[in-house]
Amino acid sequence: MHPLLTKLGVSGEIQDFFGISELNFHYGSSVSAEFFEEGFHYVPAADQAWIWNTNAGSHVVLTDSVMEAIAFLSCNRHRYPRLHNLAFVALGRLPGWLQLAEINARFPQRHFILVFANDLLGRLTDVYVAAALRNHVPRLFWRGDKVEIISRGRALQFEANDITLNVFQKAFGIRTCCRTIKPKRHASFLILLLQQPPQP
């Protein structure tokens, strides 16, 4: 077990599930890597995704970082009694079309769970990733105090505080079959872990 993760309250079971020995994670076969230390977290903008448990049964959890995936499972372990049913994918700082096309090919007919930040950028990432996984690649623009989304030959504007994946799906008539999960009072599950009292 890794002492820093243990200090954050990540159980031995979850550390074993992810096969953690060091807190650096390589994204695909590229040189891009994520690093986590006390007071430091670097997430790459990678061409490939970090993928764990490719043979999972039914659900694929997509995050922006491996540490967010670990934190998500640590905070939501009770929801998933069968860990072998979960695959995890970290996309890095800048999710791209090629990454998502690879995810579609590797995980056909799976349920996708999107775990991105509980802020505007995270909600826009939900929209982009969910639509791209269903072969609709939206274009996103900032127009003054509004967000403009162009998809399927239409351009619609939304108040920044109102845009969610659900709002996008209803406005464009798209069913992505993706679910989003966010912490209620924190920007991310990793921040939630970091702000808890350290474990002895």
Side-chain angles (χ1 to χ4, degrees), residues 103-123:
I103 300 310
N104 252 340
R106 281 195 184 216
F107 298 104
Q109 299 178 340
R110 307 287 176 87
H111 299 285
F112 290 106
I113 301 169
L114 310 184
V115 181
F116 298 107
N118 190 13
D119 57 20
L120 176 60
L121 184 57
R123 295 193 306 273

Side-chain angles (χ1 to χ4, degrees), residues 127 156 158-159 162-173:
V127 168
L156 298 175
F158 303 88
E159 296 290 339
D162 295 340
I163 186 63
T164 64
L165 178 58
N166 187 48
V167 167
F168 165 77
Q169 290 179 132
K170 288 180 178 177
F172 284 93

Side-chain angles (χ1 to χ4, degrees), residues 4-43:
L4 180 51
L5 290 186
T6 302
K7 181 180 175 182
L8 292 176
V10 179
S11 71
E13 176 197 34
I14 290 174
Q15 294 188 47
D16 288 344
F17 171 74
F18 283 108
I20 294 169
S21 57
E22 299 295 327
L23 296 183
N24 55 71
F25 311 97
H26 291 272
Y27 283 54
S29 58
S30 69
V31 295
S32 298
E34 175 181 343
F35 298 93
F36 184 81
E37 298 174 10
E38 194 154 6
F40 176 79
H41 186 204
Y42 173 77
V43 180

Side-chain angles (χ1 to χ4, degrees), residues 13 33 36 43 53 57 70 75 91 93 99 128 133 138 142 144 148 150 162 180 187 189 191 194-195:
E13 176 197 34
F36 184 81
V43 180
N53 201 22
I70 293 166
C75 295
L91 299 172
R93 286 186 287 124
Q99 286 177 320
Y128 179 84
L133 287 170
W142 184 248
E148 181 175 274
I150 300 175
D162 295 340
T180 62
F189 288 103
I191 289 174
L194 289 168
Q195 292 184 351

